[in-house]
Amino acid sequence: MFIQTEATPNPSTLKFLPGRPVLAEGAREFRTREAASAASPLAGALLSIDGVEAVMFGPDFVSVTKTEAEWAHLKPAILGTIMEHFSSGQPIVIDNAEAAPAEFFDPADADTVAQIKELIVTRVRPAVANDGGDITFRGFRDGIVYVAMKGSCSGCPSSTATLKNGIENMLRHFVPQVASVQQV
C-alpha cells in the first residue's frame, strides 16, 4: 500500500491519502483518544501516537494535526498505523452516525439558508477538503452566516483570510442577504 502525503495551509496538519475511500460521506474529527477509541479504531490508534493532537477523516484522506513534535519523527508512525489499519480490514468508524449539531435560523429565511447551504456544499466544501479540512453550515441570523471548520482548517493561520476573503465574498456575491461569515 502506498500512502501519499500532502502539505496543507496549516503547518501543523498533514493530509494522508491512502489511495482508497476513507469515509463514504461527510467528515469526522476526533480530538481526544477517549472519544476516538469508542468510535474509530484508526483514530484511536493515531491519537495514541505521542505528538498527535487531532485526526479528521474525509472522503479519501486522513488529516493529522500535531502538537510541537516534528513531522520527521511523526510521519513514520502515522504511515505505519494507517497502513496497518487498512491491512487489518477493520472499519474506519464503528458508528458513522455523528450527532449533527442543531442549526439555527429564522424559518422566514429558509430560502436564503437553502441557497447558502447549496453554495457551501457545491463550491466551498470541495475546496476546503482539498486542503485537508471540512466546513459545515451551523446557522444564519441577522445577515451573519455561522460555519464550523474542522481538520486542517481549524486553527489554521490562513483560515481567517480564507473565511473572510474567500467564503464571505463568494456568499455575499451570490446571496445579497449575507453580510458576513463567522466561525463557531
Side-chain angles (χ1 to χ4, degrees):
M1 172 179 213
F2 179 72
I3 301 171
Q4 294 178 309
T5 60
E6 286 182 5
T8 70
N10 183 346
S12 295
T13 303
L14 274 181
K15 185 175 169 182
F16 294 82
L17 301 145
R20 54 180 71 173
V22 177
L23 280 185
E25 61 183 47
R28 292 284 302 266
E29 184 175 43
F30 302 94
R31 294 200 161 269
T32 67
R33 185 175 177 199
E34 296 74 29
S37 296
S40 170
L42 177 55
L46 288 169
L47 283 163
S48 70
I49 298 170
D50 191 34
V52 171
E53 181 176 56
V55 174
M56 192 195 95
F57 300 136
D60 62 350
F61 65 87
V62 176
S63 285
V64 177
T65 303
K66 68 178 184 77
T67 57
E68 299 300 316
E70 295 297 323
W71 282 120
H73 300 293
L74 290 173
K75 274 176 69 172
I78 294 168
L79 288 166
T81 300
I82 293 171
M83 212 175 300
E84 184 179 308
H85 179 82
F86 277 101
S87 298
S88 75
Q90 292 182 55
I92 300 295
V93 291
I94 296 167
D95 177 16
N96 198 21
E98 182 178 28
E103 296 178 352
F104 59 91
F105 58 90
D106 186 328
D109 292 327
D111 290 340
T112 301
V113 168
Q115 284 181 293
I116 293 166
K117 285 180 171 182
E118 176 70 18
L119 288 166
I120 288 173
V121 168
T122 60
R123 294 182 182 229
V124 179
R125 210 167 187 195
V128 172
N130 280 338
D131 286 338
D134 191 36
I135 184 169
T136 54
F137 172 85
R138 286 293 179 83
F140 179 72
R141 183 178 297 134
D142 300 325
I144 302 171
V145 177
Y146 296 90
V147 296
M149 298 178 85
K150 298 179 189 175
S152 68
C153 297
S154 177
C156 172
S158 64
S159 67
T160 302
T162 300
L163 198 62
K164 293 296 179 188
N165 298 334
I167 299 167
E168 183 175 293
N169 287 342
M170 190 260 313
L171 288 177
R172 289 173 62 187
H173 174 77
F174 288 106
V175 186
Q177 298 87 334
V178 173
S180 70
V181 178
Q182 290 185 11
Q183 183 175 346
V184 292

